[in-house]
Amino acid sequence: MQPENKRWARRKEARPQEILAAALKLFVKKGFAATKMADIAKAAGVTCGTPYVYFSSKEEIFKAVVRELLLPQLARCHDLLSNFQGSSAELLRAMLQTWWQAMGESEFSAMPKLMIAEGSNFPEVAKIYQEEFVNPGNKMLRHLLQRGIASGEFRLLDIDYAIEVICAPIVMAMLMKHSLINCLPDELDPERFINTTLDLLLNGLLASPKDH
C-alpha cells in the first residue's frame, strides 16, 4: 500500500483536473451562467473554497476546460494530419471520424451550443474558444484541402468557404444532440452520417455517366 501522505499528494495533484471535469459536466447540463462555483465544488467532491485555490473565477475554470481538456482532442487531429500517408480523400475521412470520436461522442459535443448560448455574455471565454480551438481546427482543414489541390486530387475551390461547408454538418449534429428540436434521425448512425457527408463532399449530387 502507498503511504497516506503519497496518496494525499497524488490526490492533490489530480484535483484541478477533477474540478475541470466536474465543471464541464455542469456546464453541459445547466449552462455556464447557471452553474455556481459551489455547484462545481460539490460535483468535484471538494469543499466550497477548494476551486478558488486553483482558479480565481468560474471564467478561469471555463478557460482551463478549453485549454486543458478540449485542446488535447484537437491534438489528435493534428497528429493525424502530420503523419498521414494516404490520399487526401482518405485523410478527410479519417479527420472527420477522429473529430466525431473526440467531440461528437463525448461531453465536448455540447461546446458549440454552450458557445452560442453563452458567448455573447462571456466574450472573453468565446474569444479563447475561437482563437485556440476553432481557428487551429480550421487551419488544419485548410492544410488538408491545399494538400489535395497541390496533388491534383482536389480541384481548385474557394477554400475559405469550403472549410465552413465541411464543418457545418458535424457542428449541426453536435448541436442537435443537445437541442429539444432535433432535425436528425432519432438514432443517429455516426458512421452513416459521416459517410454520407463525405459522399456529398467528394462526389456531389449529380450523377456521373457510369451511374446510368
Side-chain angles (χ1 to χ4, degrees):
M1 294 181 61
Q2 292 287 333
E4 185 67 28
N5 61 339
K6 288 188 177 180
R7 290 204 306 272
W8 177 256
R10 185 170 56 192
R11 163 78 171 145
K12 188 174 182 180
E13 291 171 0
R15 193 164 289 148
Q17 292 294 313
E18 294 170 354
I19 291 170
L20 295 180
L24 175 60
K25 289 180 180 180
L26 287 171
F27 294 158
V28 169
K29 182 179 179 180
K30 301 176 64 174
F32 180 75
T35 299
K36 309 298 183 185
M37 288 289 274
D39 299 330
I40 296 172
K42 182 178 180 180
V46 297
T47 63
C48 289
T50 301
Y52 290 102
V53 174
Y54 305 98
F55 308 100
S56 61
S57 65
K58 187 172 65 172
E59 287 80 1
E60 290 301 315
I61 289 180
F62 199 102
K63 292 176 190 177
V65 166
V66 173
R67 288 172 171 157
E68 298 186 30
L69 300 186
L70 190 57
L71 293 188
Q73 309 307 317
L74 192 64
R76 293 172 57 182
C77 288
H78 184 272
D79 291 342
L80 178 65
L81 182 63
S82 300
N83 301 308
F84 198 81
Q85 300 298 317
S87 70
S88 294
E90 292 169 339
L91 175 57
L92 180 59
R93 178 180 299 277
M95 287 277 282
L96 292 187
Q97 290 172 336
T98 300
W99 183 13
W100 183 259
Q101 289 165 4
M103 297 283 294
E105 295 180 355
S106 73
E107 289 168 330
F108 294 119
S109 61
M111 294 301 287
K113 181 183 178 182
L114 276 173
M115 289 297 98
I116 291 172
E118 312 280 9
S120 60
N121 295 321
F122 304 94
E124 187 177 354
V125 171
K127 182 179 179 182
I128 288 173
Y129 180 75
Q130 179 71 38
E131 292 183 350
E132 299 189 20
F133 181 75
V134 175
N135 291 351
N138 287 348
K139 185 177 179 180
M140 284 190 282
L141 273 176
R142 179 181 298 277
H143 181 79
L144 187 158
L145 293 173
Q146 290 172 334
R147 177 187 191 266
I149 292 171
S151 69
E153 185 180 353
F154 295 163
R155 62 180 176 81
L156 288 173
L157 45 77
D158 186 336
I159 290 181
D160 292 338
Y161 281 92
I163 291 170
E164 304 301 330
V165 171
I166 291 170
C167 292
I170 307 299
V171 173
M172 180 57 69
M174 288 193 281
L175 285 170
M176 291 296 99
K177 284 187 65 176
H178 300 276
S179 174
L180 293 177
I181 303 174
N182 191 345
C183 301
L184 297 173
D186 291 337
E187 294 295 332
L188 177 67
D189 184 331
E191 184 176 0
R192 285 180 62 191
F193 182 77
I194 290 173
N195 285 341
T196 303
T197 300
L198 284 162
D199 187 25
L200 289 171
L201 287 171
L202 296 172
N203 303 311
L205 289 171
L206 295 177
S208 64
K210 66 178 181 180
D211 295 323
H212 296 291

